[in-house]
Amino acid sequence: METPIPDLSALNHQPAGRHGKIQAVGDELFFADGTPARFWGANLQAYALFTTEPRFMRAHAQRLSRLGFNLVRIHHHDSHWVQPNIFGSEAQTTRKLDAFSLKKLDQWIAALKAEGLYIWLDLHVGRSFTNEDGVEDFEEIAKGETSIRVKGFSYISPSIEALMLDFQDKYLRHINKITGLSYAEDPAVIAVMITNENDLTHHFGNALLPDKNVPRHNAVYMAAAREFALENGIDPELTWRSWLHGPSKLFLNELERRFNDRMIENIEATGFEGLITTTSLWGGMSVAGLPSLTRGSMVDAHSYGSSGEVFYDPRTRSGFLDWLSIGQVVGMPFSVSEWNIGEFPGDDRFIAPLSVAVRAAHQGWDAPIVYGYAQQPLNGPLRPTNWSMAEDPAMMAMMPAAALLYRQGHVRLAEKTYALCPDHEAFFGNSITPASSVGIRTIVEQSRLVTCMPDTPALPWLQASVLEEQQHEILDTEHSYLEPDAQTVAADTGDFYRAFNDGLIVIDTAKTQAAAGHLSDKTVATTNVAFEVENPTAAVVVQSLDDEEITTSGRILVSLAGRAVPEELSFRIEPLVGRLQIKASPRLTLRFPDQKKAAVGAHSFQDGMHVIDLEKLGAGNWFYLE
């Protein structure tokens, strides 16, 4: 682990759960005692869950808290490629939960809870059912293999559903031997997901089609499609064709709804009173995949970006955060249980935490969760990868800054709300996405976007969105909300802008001021800071830590990130060159988080400004002025 690091643990409730159970009130989250809830999270997954020693669990729980996280999603607990997993090592059946694996999860949950980190539990991720589990028509799915993954099939197979119900019942009723509480009744466990990245509407409906050589499953699917079409007076030949927009999207949402309702009833029977997500909007899905997701108490989405996101012109293409923006349904909380830069190592990956935090705060999202903190055992050095970023100096450098900005509301909620409200024929009949809509792409960095659920006779359970009490404007999906000659896109609050021609993001608020992207050959000025950085790609953030404005703050955090190139078990880090000028109290002195002073000669006070020579700071991602 890098040292020293800042300590944001005072932001957390210690222990997690001391304000009571979580609850959704409209599109906001509160604890039982009325305390508002907002989560900045990380995924903890796979081998990290079951092979990390308890002393390292406690150390990483403390570190996560210090870095500003207050939510951890437990993920890939059941995946077939993880050995051991929740079923043990090379288990012949997945009908039994392994006592040793449960003990490891108990230890993690207790350690995280003690440090003020809330828990999100996935119920089904990558479980590979065996031929000993009793799945009906197992051989049809297996095609000669000894185990099967059941995405898509879970929605129409009673035996697969029964196995999933049995698992989630046992899992949520399990008594944590350390806390003395079942997972279901522990107020620190705030959310569950029924099934990860498992939808019929855009991905796994195709697994059930006539050409997939699954005749018994296809027969069930086709019979259900015919029945739905006849009941609703729609064309049966269009209803079963899952790859087409139109009637099939209505039918597939209905199949998902039936399954979700049964799963939710079982979850609630365990005593769980927290947030339930069904699955996620992910992998290029259109808004037609949202209706069944509203059967939970919170809508969730996933999206992964690429290098150079800071340069995209929204008039011509979409960014990864735009795909998340269409998932914010009117009147419901919204989480992002997976986000990251999908390629590794992207030179500018350290910009992503700031981008996510800014967008989430401006849009009013409730729980962004990076994927992932660790997928490898946390007993020693980690191999560099974006799925185990615990030791990535690029990504970790910006996490405290992003957490502080988002959790403390340094970037304000947008002043104006646009509503994406097509009628049901367009909603289900067209592929409405950021890729197809210039209106979506050009508005979501300027103002808030919410998506309406349409009045849909074929789906009587779908609650049509009501907007009377909101100040909003209906989004024109075909209209560009940027002028043809625009080179920047800016928030309607004035809190940030992105100069996409220059590849630059600038944040300028009373308590956070930052510049990230391609900074060389220019001076970037905010209200109280001048950023003069010679590195081609970097991020620098100046923030108040004591709830004062930067100019009057008695404690300022400076966060730095540059390019970091992975080697076998470490990174080669490019030091930043240039200087900062910060208008703040003259009484402040620059120091490392665990030292009284920083490098000699790195700091001076001239003409009412703190001047910091970045090259003289030496190693380190964080410094204080205090």
Side-chain angles (χ1 to χ4, degrees), residues 362 412-417 446-448 471 492-494:
H362 187 241
R412 295 167 291 174
L413 184 68
E415 292 181 352
K416 191 170 185 178
T417 297
Q446 300 186 68
S447 299
R448 192 174 190 228
Q471 296 296 319
D492 58 13
T493 58

Side-chain angles (χ1 to χ4, degrees), residues 137-160:
D137 298 319
F138 176 91
E139 69 286 348
E140 182 173 284
I141 304 173
K143 293 181 171 57
E145 299 294 326
T146 58
S147 63
I148 57 172
R149 280 166 280 174
V150 297
K151 290 186 177 182
F153 295 97
S154 57
Y155 290 100
I156 64 163
S157 168
S159 64
I160 292 171

Side-chain angles (χ1 to χ4, degrees), residues 281-341:
L281 193 78
W282 68 287
M285 290 170 65
S286 74
V287 296
L290 285 170
S292 63
L293 275 60
T294 67
R295 298 305 283 178
S297 50
M298 182 166 66
V299 173
D300 184 65
H302 297 170
S303 189
Y304 289 84
S306 58
S307 293
E309 288 272 345
V310 74
F311 281 105
Y312 83 90
D313 181 340
R315 290 167 301 202
T316 59
R317 56 155 287 203
S318 59
F320 83 107
L321 296 177
D322 303 341
W323 289 87
L324 298 172
S325 297
I326 63 172
Q328 186 164 244
V329 172
V330 172
M332 294 192 69
F334 180 60
S335 62
V336 179
S337 63
E338 293 184 26
W339 68 264
N340 201 343
I341 299 301

Side-chain angles (χ1 to χ4, degrees), residues 509-556:
T509 74
K511 298 175 184 177
T512 292
Q513 295 177 31
H518 288 245
L519 302 181
S520 59
D521 303 321
K522 61 178 75 72
T523 296
V524 179
T526 56
T527 302
N528 306 117
V529 185
F531 302 85
E532 303 171 15
V533 181
E534 297 178 20
N535 303 64
T537 305
V540 180
V541 188
V542 178
Q543 294 174 296
S544 168
L545 284 171
D546 57 9
D547 211 30
E548 295 286 330
E549 296 187 4
I550 287 172
T551 51
T552 56
S553 176
R555 196 160 191 249
I556 292 172

Side-chain angles (χ1 to χ4, degrees), residues 411-492:
V411 165
R412 295 167 291 174
L413 184 68
E415 292 181 352
K416 191 170 185 178
T417 297
Y418 284 78
L420 175 59
C421 297
D423 63 24
H424 77 269
E425 290 185 356
F427 190 97
F428 295 99
N430 300 329
S431 180
I432 301 174
T433 72
S436 68
S437 170
V438 67
I440 293 172
R441 297 194 302 268
T442 55
I443 203 61
V444 290
E445 288 177 272
Q446 300 186 68
S447 299
R448 192 174 190 228
L449 180 69
V450 294
T451 299
C452 301
M453 292 299 100
D455 184 11
T456 309
L459 304 177
W461 48 267
L462 182 60
Q463 295 184 6
S465 299
V466 177
L467 292 168
E468 284 85 3
E469 297 181 0
Q470 292 184 257
Q471 296 296 319
H472 70 278
E473 182 173 323
I474 298 298
L475 183 81
D476 182 347
T477 58
E478 303 302 318
H479 171 69
S480 172
Y481 290 86
L482 277 182
E483 296 298 326
D485 60 348
Q487 297 185 24
T488 66
V489 56
D492 58 13

